[in-house]
Amino acid sequence: DIVRSRYGRVAAFVVLLAVLIVNVLTFAADLEGGGAALGLLTGIGYLWWVIPLAIVSLALLIFGTYDDVQRFLVVIPLAFISYVITAFMAHPDWHQVLVDSFIPHFSWSRDYIAGAIALLGTTLTAYAYVWQGVEVSEDSPPLRRLGLVQIDATFGAVGAGITFWFIVITTAATLGVHHHRVETAQDAANALVPLAGRFAGTLFGIGLLGSALLALPVLLATSAYVVSEMFGWSGRLNAKFFQAPRFYVTMLVVAACGCAITFVGVTPIRLLFMSSIAGGIATPITLFFMCLAARNVDPSGKWRLSPWLAAAGWAVTVIVSAAALIYLYQTFTGKS
């Protein structure tokens, strides 16, 4: 809404497409990821779980309230504890982990750049910070609580970053050191067998399912919010279906498109990677307008983003943009 009112409908439409296309791809990828996780846990093929997962996500949003969704999203991240546990079970060289975490090495190889843009894309995908804005909007905290909102957002970002760090450590200590190539969720689970024995599939499945369940309703909700804001429709999660039909129909369309993509035949791991690449390419667009708006949205300057935080935001935007441009250059020229 800010982009449309300040920078025009064309700019807003570009942002809308950047968010919506990646959301649909990511929703499909997480449907397959959740299905693969349930397949590991039950032994039933992942495609059988795709439509039930979509229906559960839609039901939570259509029949529940914003508070119901919020409570659900607060509990689900507990599943990520499984990744923290496996990181310690893998017994990595913690000194080397710390050195490489803060002094990373760089490579211009295609695999390295593709991995980098996928990591950035899955971490900074637009739906994450769109949802942050939705939360603040729905909660409508008074300005005197702004400091608490900032603390909450900071702890959320740091917590997510730490969890992501443990996922990277677990992956490196299991798949990386043995140079395992992962094509299926079962491949990833098998790599944990030396650590967790027969519970490897369960441990990996819980973490993967938690990731999917956390993302699916958020992806649908953010899609509905950005489309509604673009076209000036009324709609929010506390509204009933008959009060905001276009808002909820948008969710249904996104869910239908996501389900359709899952039946194209792309495997869960590959689709998750592809959606992360798409997120990495589209993220610079949304980051650019978010940083632009954050400094200019308040004419009085009283609530304007601080210069140092704005500089940090632009630095992240430049880094992600550079990674996306290098990836696109290598993809279209065939050069590394």
Side-chain angles (χ1 to χ4, degrees):
D1 183 52
I2 291 170
V3 171
R4 184 189 60 179
S5 61
R6 285 191 165 267
Y7 309 112
R9 294 183 67 85
V10 173
F13 193 71
V14 170
V15 173
L16 173 67
L17 288 179
V19 174
L20 205 55
I21 292 172
V22 175
N23 273 17
V24 171
L25 283 174
T26 308
F27 183 79
D30 280 307
L31 278 179
E32 285 202 4
L38 288 168
L40 284 173
L41 297 172
T42 65
I44 301 172
Y46 76 89
L47 285 176
W48 289 101
W49 295 106
V50 165
I51 293 178
L53 281 170
I55 290 173
V56 169
S57 302
L58 285 167
L60 173 66
L61 297 170
I62 294 173
F63 299 109
T65 63
Y66 167 76
D67 290 336
D68 295 329
V69 176
Q70 189 74 333
R71 281 192 290 268
F72 175 79
L73 296 178
V74 166
V75 174
I76 287 298
L78 293 175
F80 296 148
I81 293 174
S82 63
Y83 288 122
V84 179
I85 295 171
T86 52
F88 284 100
M89 292 173 66
H91 301 294
D93 181 344
W94 286 104
H95 175 264
Q96 194 66 44
V97 167
L98 291 173
V99 170
D100 290 341
S101 294
F102 293 98
I103 311 175
H105 75 280
F106 295 94
S107 169
W108 296 106
S109 71
R110 292 186 197 176
D111 285 346
Y112 187 95
I113 297 298
I117 195 68
L119 287 173
L120 291 168
T122 197
T123 311
L124 301 172
T125 310
Y127 80 85
Y129 41 87
V130 170
W131 179 253
Q132 179 72 32
V134 168
E135 286 185 313
V136 176
S137 175
E138 291 286 358
D139 291 336
S140 299
L143 287 176
R144 67 176 182 274
R145 282 180 50 203
L146 182 60
L148 292 176
V149 173
Q150 291 172 322
I151 291 172
D152 177 60
T154 301
F155 273 103
V158 171
I162 291 173
T163 303
F164 186 71
W165 185 61
F166 278 111
I167 292 172
V168 173
I169 294 170
T170 302
T171 306
T174 53
L175 302 173
V177 295
H178 300 295
H179 303 287
H180 283 301
R181 187 172 182 86
V182 176
E183 297 292 343
T184 67
Q186 189 63 53
D187 291 342
N190 289 341
L192 297 175
V193 169
L195 305 175
R198 62 191 180 90
F199 295 110
T202 301
L203 200 61
F204 179 75
I206 290 172
L208 186 58
L209 181 60
S211 176
L213 292 177
L214 183 69
L216 291 173
V218 174
L219 286 162
L220 291 176
T222 52
S223 298
Y225 273 100
V226 293
V227 171
S228 297
E229 291 290 348
M230 175 68 206
F231 296 106
W233 300 343
S234 61
R236 52 188 302 184
L237 288 176
N238 280 330
K240 301 299 182 184
F241 192 99
F242 66 87
Q243 294 173 320
R246 290 178 290 192
F247 179 80
Y248 287 106
V249 167
T250 301
M251 293 186 194
L252 292 170
V253 171
V254 170
C257 292
C259 287
I261 292 172
T262 64
F263 290 99
V264 170
V266 183
T267 60
I269 299 297
R270 183 168 293 277
L271 187 56
L272 283 165
F273 190 76
M274 289 168 58
S275 68
S276 298
I277 291 285
I281 294 171
T283 289
I285 299 171
T286 48
L287 280 178
F288 172 81
F289 282 104
M290 185 173 71
C291 291
L292 201 64
R295 283 289 290 167
N296 299 326
V297 73
D298 179 22
S300 70
K302 187 177 181 182
W303 304 107
R304 186 176 295 174
L305 195 68
S306 64
W308 70 268
L309 196 53
W314 283 114
V316 172
T317 304
V318 169
I319 291 170
V320 182
S321 300
L325 289 172
I326 294 169
Y327 173 78
L328 290 172
Y329 173 78
Q330 290 185 340
T331 300
F332 289 110
T333 63
K335 299 178 180 179
S336 59

